[in-house]
Amino acid sequence: MSTARTRARVATALAGLLVAALSATPATASPAADPTARHQPTPPHVVGTQTVPAYSYADAIRESVWVQTRADSDGDGVRDRVAVDLVRPREAAAAGVRVPVIMDASPYYLCCGRGNESELKTYDSAGVIAKAPLFYDNYFVPRGYAFAAVDLAGTARSTGCEDVGGPAEVDSATAVVDWLNGRARAYDADGRPVSAAWSTGRVGMIGKSWDGSVANGAAATGVPGLATIVPISAISSWYDYMRYNGVLRTTDYPGYLHSYVNGRGDDACADVLARLRADSAEETGDRNGFWAQRDYRPSAGRVRASVFMAHGLNDLNVTTNQFARWWQELAEQGVPRKLWLYQAGHEDPFDVRRGAWVSALHRWFDYWLQGLRNGVMDEPRVDLETAPGTWTTQRDWPAPGARNVRVALGAGDGVTGTLGGRGARPGREQAYVDESLTEAELVAEPGAATAGRLVFLSGTLTAPLRISGSPSVRLRIRVDRPTTELTARLVDYGTAERIRYDSSEGVRTLDTESCWGASTDVDDACYRDTEEITGVSDHAVLTRGWLDAAHHRSLRFRTPLRPDRWYTVTVPLNAYDAVLPAGHVLGLVLGQSDPEFTEADDRDATVRVDLGRSELVLPVAGRTGLPTVTVAPPVVTEPAQPSSARTAPRTRQVP
């Protein structure tokens, strides 16, 4: 027998052993059920405890299939089919080596683009995927992964209708996971059935913003085979995205988002659009069944996947309570998890800390999808950017040892109140009238008398103050209208170099490029480099909170306020993490209607606050005391926060 023929037979036998070994690996197994474990052949893309480029990206199999979901969201009597564009290693398929899947399910692939450079999908003359946005396929396919780019129902090449965070949207993703595990059907462009026998069944979902929100929703179903998710700047409750505790963020938000990504004809989804507008209770701001259906947090107990979150601490689009509340729910359920927090706004960590992010993502997927014991779960759980370009790690979030400290409000000099110390006696009142101030007007010159706000300042800090968690303001109020919007802001008064997230989310795109993976003539792995935008300012708004006062008892219904009664209300602020240096001053600023961030019809109210029965609840790690005011309040002359042109809700941000 010739040497060539002998080698061929050995290769065939090896491929058969690989098929048998990998077929026996259960789709929902833990990393211990490792396809590279002892007594099993090691595939060529695994060296030690990591995957390495072993397969040709240029020769990868590229195919487009349509997965049948359980939903009929457009009501045409036919189940929706979602388009799935796949890139997977050809050599692995030829050898019978099954591979796990990294999946990004998105509504943006043809309408709007993904990533910092707004990349779109492109197709060859046969309608097969030629270019998939982002670096995931370029980097991971040569390392023994498949990549799946999924068009959500009603978008791009999928049928059905986009229901904005609802069941049809989530079903778009879970149906693909089912197909990759042999539990659902898929078809090619000619209607022929297509199987995913090449898949190990282990799936990792990733995506920024809306894409990451779908990953959260899919994980909350407990779909078997979804081994991990990486939600970046993602939504965990759509009510909290579009309503700030009963206050509208902007009008017709669900309808706007549906229309923004709709890939169907005008008539195909008219009924769905009408239901979105009717069921979202815009006239009241109530949290009803429509919103409960789009809240993934109560289903944290069903999550089987590990979770690697990333979020900008200054994200004004998808605010930080989205990650913080989801993180807490998952922690209570013991879900394996990891977190990156950074100073930028609505950004992907690929454009904040690129090399470290790619490395972290690689190790995370190797562990959870390939089963490689690389120690990633033995490392600190949290990576945190504490100042521009300065990173640290800690074992959890909020910072270990953080606790809620009740901070009293004092009357001060009658113009500027105080934070800390004994505070005012019960019954000491201050009033303010709704003036619809901009954020810059609210927080500037805290020592000046400005109608429409109340300001409270600590003394000059004698030691650094670490805030880590979700603050809130508990107010005892009397209002001369049935309701009003109540707003609160924590402000760091003191000169420092800070991320200018009012400018392109705090990140600047450079002229240079770096490459992350292999390329083809039509799909390169090179992306323009980025850097953080910083500037010296004399103050910064740390976090914000809003409440419709008539929703103080429940978000499910309104309780109009009577002008002859006092009410105790709590204004939750978005989660934050910061260290205020010694020499700075912490400020609390109260306002009412907030035209840059929200849209409220109830204006012109006068609010009386009983200072002695009101307080700031501050999550503090380490030293807890706030010195009382002993020096003149700081003078702020330069607004450091986004202008109304940046944050006006009428621009209708998209997740």
Side-chain angles (χ1 to χ4, degrees), residues 135-312:
F135 74 98
Y136 304 135
D137 55 327
N138 308 81
Y139 186 87
F140 286 104
V141 169
R143 289 170 166 80
Y145 293 84
F147 177 68
V150 180
D151 298 329
L152 297 182
T155 72
R157 301 200 297 175
S158 295
T159 65
C161 293
E162 173 54 63
D163 62 351
V164 189
E169 177 176 298
V170 173
D171 197 45
S172 301
T174 57
V176 178
V177 177
D178 283 338
W179 173 66
L180 291 167
N181 282 273
R183 300 188 300 265
R185 297 178 179 178
Y187 305 88
D188 65 15
D190 296 323
R192 293 185 295 261
V194 182
S195 76
W198 47 266
S199 165
T200 65
R202 298 187 68 82
V203 182
M205 289 186 67
I206 189 171
K208 177 194 168 190
S209 202
W210 200 329
D211 305 16
S213 310
V214 180
N216 283 337
T221 70
V223 59
L226 184 58
T228 191
I229 62 170
V230 184
I232 302 165
S233 302
I235 295 165
S236 58
S237 165
W238 283 85
Y239 178 87
D240 288 347
Y241 178 71
M242 299 188 195
R243 307 282 188 270
Y244 292 148
N245 298 297
V247 181
L248 294 186
R249 185 168 180 172
T250 188
T251 58
D252 193 30
Y253 218 161
Y256 168 74
L257 290 178
H258 165 93
S259 301
Y260 188 75
V261 300
N262 181 37
R264 305 293 304 282
D266 291 339
D267 297 333
C269 297
D271 289 344
V272 172
L273 180 57
R275 288 197 300 272
L276 287 172
R277 288 172 167 156
D279 294 347
S280 58
E282 183 167 298
E283 68 282 359
T284 65
D286 291 351
R287 187 187 187 279
N288 57 16
F290 173 91
W291 296 110
Q293 199 175 46
R294 290 160 172 78
D295 184 356
Y296 312 133
R297 298 169 194 159
S299 297
R302 302 180 65 183
V303 173
R304 304 184 184 193
S306 62
V307 181
F308 187 174
M309 296 186 202
H311 214 105

Side-chain angles (χ1 to χ4, degrees), residues 336-485:
R337 64 203 187 283
K338 187 174 178 62
L339 175 65
W340 272 33
L341 296 175
Y342 35 93
Q343 294 288 316
H346 194 61
E347 283 291 342
D348 191 311
F350 184 75
D351 297 315
V352 174
R353 195 188 183 201
R354 186 168 294 181
W357 173 249
V358 174
S359 176
L361 205 57
H362 182 187
R363 298 181 69 236
W364 184 263
F365 283 145
D366 275 2
Y367 183 89
W368 287 104
L369 299 182
Q370 300 278 359
L372 301 179
R373 295 293 188 179
N374 54 22
V376 71
M377 297 306 294
D378 299 325
E379 299 170 355
R381 188 171 282 153
V382 178
D383 278 46
L384 173 67
E385 186 181 22
T386 58
T390 301
W391 289 78
T392 188
T393 60
Q394 59 190 42
R395 67 175 185 270
D396 211 337
W397 193 89
R403 56 203 178 278
N404 285 334
V405 176
R406 299 182 181 278
V407 181
L409 309 186
D413 61 5
V415 172
T416 304
T418 61
L419 277 181
R422 296 182 61 182
R425 293 181 178 179
R428 179 64 185 267
E429 299 177 18
Q430 282 191 332
Y432 64 112
V433 180
D434 185 4
E435 295 287 347
S436 298
L437 300 176
T438 66
E439 182 164 89
E441 292 168 335
L442 273 169
V443 303
E445 298 187 65
T450 300
R453 73 176 186 181
L454 295 181
V455 180
F456 304 89
L457 298 176
S458 75
T460 301
L461 298 177
T462 58
L465 174 67
R466 172 76 183 277
I467 299 172
S468 183
S470 299
S472 62
V473 182
R474 183 176 177 272
L475 300 173
R476 185 71 172 169
I477 61 171
R478 192 171 70 185
V479 185
D480 67 349
R481 297 284 191 276
T483 191
T484 186
E485 180 179 354

Side-chain angles (χ1 to χ4, degrees), residues 8 42 54 56 120 125 129 158-159 250 254-255 261 305 351 388 402 406 429 464 482 489 503 505 534 576 603 630:
T42 301
S56 168
L120 299 170
S125 58
I129 187 71
S158 295
T159 65
T250 188
V261 300
D351 297 315
R406 299 182 181 278
E429 299 177 18
R489 286 167 168 80
S503 177
E505 306 291 356
T534 65
Y576 207 73
R603 299 188 179 183
T630 57

